[in-house]
Amino acid sequence: MLGERLAAALGAARDGAAGIESFAHLLGSRRVGPRGVALALPEVCEGCAALVVALDSLSAAVRDGFVETGSAAAADAAAADAAAADAACAVLGHAGVEVARLTDELSRAAAGASPARGAGRGRADRGGSERGIDARQRLGLEASVRRTARELSGALRLSELVIATLELRPTPLDLIDVLRNWSAAPAEGRPVVGISVASSDGRANEVEGDVRAVSGLMELAVGMVSAAGVASPHLTVSRLSDGRSMVRIAERGPREGAPAVALDVVLRDGGERAAAVARVVARRARIELVEGTDGRVVTMTF
């Protein structure tokens, strides 16, 4: 079980991210007028400021969690723990900078939307509140809030993937079943990419691993090759001579057979922070991950 401190910090960060997501929906709702937006701004600003603190607390809890697991481990394992903590904290640090930026922007918007000082109660006061945020400002705020919501969603998902390696729970898995459980619906404004899957040997699909690590790694690998320019990734599952299973994600070759499965998946992060997370998660889950020199091929061996 995760330590109480780490679980509480993660919960606080999730709650803060949910608040930003809710405000994005409010800004996008034409049922909410300028006054409603103006009234919500101060509370959202407070929530953003609290979220910056929550992300800092989560980073500290993550680092301490890996220090505790690494203190009793061998030197190479302790180094892997430190690398995992560094990867998660880099992701959370980037998210904290993004939330701080949004906090400043919302604070300025709130100050501009407030009724003029000295206005009495009644029509003058109501008129100031009714003016609130104009349509142009609102569109700009909505785009900015949605950007932060996307950054937070990705950051929390990546950090949760690293945190999951603190208590890996290996079970028998079928890789094709894992792939079929991927979400096909657009989410958090992220693009959807089509992938094809081919398996030459049904036994190759059967591996032992933690479903969170295996699923997360395959999604990140798809994001990595997509970021390198592969428009429609092809995933091949094969059995090696030593009995291990290998997943190769790349462009489909002209001589490769018809895919066994076609999937649409939400395209996850493919940047360097995401790649760093993929490397440490693979190492901790004992999955061999190899990236091609051009980034257009990723293989994982189980």
Side-chain angles (χ1 to χ4, degrees):
M1 295 292 292
L2 290 177
E4 290 185 7
R5 178 187 170 204
L6 183 53
L10 185 56
R14 286 171 177 162
D15 289 344
I20 290 179
E21 186 71 37
S22 295
F23 187 54
H25 291 312
L26 182 146
L27 287 168
S29 173
R30 294 304 169 250
R31 295 184 178 182
V32 180
R35 183 171 181 270
V37 173
L39 290 173
L41 274 170
E43 183 177 349
V44 177
C45 288
E46 291 179 7
C48 285
L51 178 54
V52 172
V53 175
L55 290 170
D56 286 342
S57 297
L58 179 56
S59 290
V62 167
R63 192 168 295 283
D64 289 347
F66 279 100
V67 166
E68 290 173 7
T69 60
S71 59
D76 56 345
D81 291 332
D86 288 344
C89 290
V91 168
L92 293 169
H94 174 75
V97 170
E98 176 64 22
V99 176
R101 179 203 64 77
L102 180 64
T103 304
D104 290 341
E105 184 175 346
L106 294 179
S107 296
R108 292 193 299 271
S114 299
R117 289 185 179 181
R121 299 180 184 274
R123 184 175 299 176
D125 188 28
R126 289 195 302 270
S129 295
E130 284 291 348
R131 283 193 297 273
I133 302 293
D134 64 32
R136 181 178 172 183
Q137 287 176 301
R138 181 169 179 161
L139 286 173
L141 276 182
E142 183 181 355
S144 185
V145 172
R146 290 194 181 279
R147 164 187 154 182
T148 302
R150 286 193 299 270
E151 292 283 347
L152 275 170
S153 175
L156 289 178
R157 180 185 165 279
L158 289 172
S159 61
E160 287 169 1
L161 182 55
V162 177
I163 291 168
T165 67
L166 284 169
E167 46 178 25
L168 291 167
R169 298 189 289 269
T171 59
L173 300 174
D174 185 296
L175 290 174
I176 301 299
D177 287 344
V178 172
L179 292 170
R180 286 195 175 111
N181 286 331
W182 282 1
S183 170
E188 304 132 12
R190 296 179 183 272
V192 172
V193 62
I195 69 170
S196 57
V197 183
S199 177
S200 58
D201 182 350
R203 294 175 303 167
N205 304 334
E206 301 169 1
V207 300
E208 184 91 5
D210 184 289
V211 66
R212 299 164 299 175
V214 172
S215 177
L217 277 174
M218 286 199 289
E219 286 191 82
L220 286 178
V222 169
M224 289 159 66
V225 299
S226 297
V230 177
S232 299
H234 181 62
L235 191 150
T236 307
V237 185
S238 58
R239 193 84 160 179
L240 300 179
S241 58
D242 60 8
R244 295 185 298 165
S245 295
M246 184 179 76
V247 173
R248 180 178 184 273
I249 303 173
E251 282 187 293
R252 184 180 173 189
R255 296 184 180 180
E256 291 183 291
V261 182
L263 299 170
D264 288 330
V265 301
V266 176
L267 185 59
R268 300 293 181 177
D269 302 272
E272 181 53 37
R273 281 182 292 271
V277 166
R279 294 175 198 126
V280 299
V281 170
R283 187 161 57 242
R284 290 180 61 81
R286 293 184 173 85
I287 297 171
E288 182 182 318
L289 185 146
V290 178
E291 303 165 64
T293 54
D294 58 359
R296 296 171 65 87
V297 179
V298 174
T299 61
M300 290 173 286
T301 305
F302 299 84

